[in-house]
Every structure is written in C-alpha cells, then in structure tokens.
Amino acid sequence: MRVIIYLSLLGVCCLYAYLRGGAPERWGAAALVAAVIITPFAPSSGSFRFQNIEWGVLAVDTTLMVAIAIIAVRAQRFWPMWMAAILMDTVLTHLLKLSPKLLPWSYGIMSASWSYPIPIILAVGAWRHHMRKQRYGDDPAWNQ
C-alpha cells in the first residue's frame, strides 16, 4: 500500500511540476521519475534486503543527489537546495549501515522515509514558479 501511495504522490507532483513549472522543475521531475524507474533494477546486496548496504540503491540515490545539486547550482530557485539536502541525508543513511548495529528494518524505513517530502518540495517549487510568473509576468529559470 505504501508503494501505491508514494507512486501516486510522485505522479501527481511530477505531473504538476511538468505542467506548471519551468525548466528546473521539469528537469527535477524527470530526474525523480528516472530514479524511481531505475531503482527496482538496482542490484540488491543480498538475499534479504537491507541486511547490508544496498549498493545499487546507493548509486541511484547518489546520482539523483548530484543531478539535483547541479540543478540547485544552476537554477534561480530555492527548492533544489532543500531537495539536495534531503537526498544527501538519504545517501548518508545508506552509509550508516556500515555499522553492524543498525537493524535492517530501521535501515529500510530510514531509506524510504526520506522519499516522501521530495515530490512535495518539487510541487511547491512549481507552484511558487507559477505564482511568480502570474504576478511578475516572468520568472527566470537559470542563473546567467
């Protein structure tokens, strides 16, 4: 059920970002959707998930973090900085599993829970872009 809820949230937020957002929001939505599509194909670290570091998921999460950080540096937006910070927490969560004391269920929950605010941040960024565009007639997307 939680997968359906997350995918619904992601779909609605990314669609909204695509329809109402500017170029940074569209690139952010594309990066999120690509990460969600690729993650199930990432190799697992064993027969039981989250017993060890999930290296494949770590690679996808790190790539997504770098993509959003590039958007954050180039875009005239504030939302990518928030998103990159949350993604950095996600990457650091994977590295916490280097400690054998971290239980697999807590590693799984910590990895998944960071995913929920990310599409919401994207949708809020798209909404703010839309409001600025209505108010001022223009909203520059990228730094010069």
Side-chain angles (χ1 to χ4, degrees), residues 76-142:
Q76 287 262 351
R77 307 282 196 269
F78 195 67
W79 66 264
M81 289 182 256
W82 285 95
M83 194 182 293
I86 290 173
L87 288 164
M88 183 176 288
D89 288 339
T90 303
V91 169
L92 292 175
T93 296
H94 289 290
L95 298 180
L96 285 175
K97 189 54 186 156
L98 289 172
S99 167
K101 294 180 182 180
L102 184 64
L103 298 173
W105 64 268
S106 62
Y107 174 35
I109 290 171
M110 288 172 20
S111 295
S113 63
W114 287 114
S115 302
Y116 286 90
I118 290 174
I120 296 169
I121 290 170
L122 177 65
V124 169
W127 176 76
R128 293 195 58 201
H129 163 75
H130 181 69
M131 292 289 106
R132 285 189 301 268
K133 199 167 179 183
Q134 279 186 332
R135 180 176 291 162
Y136 304 117
D138 189 29
D139 187 28
W142 306 107

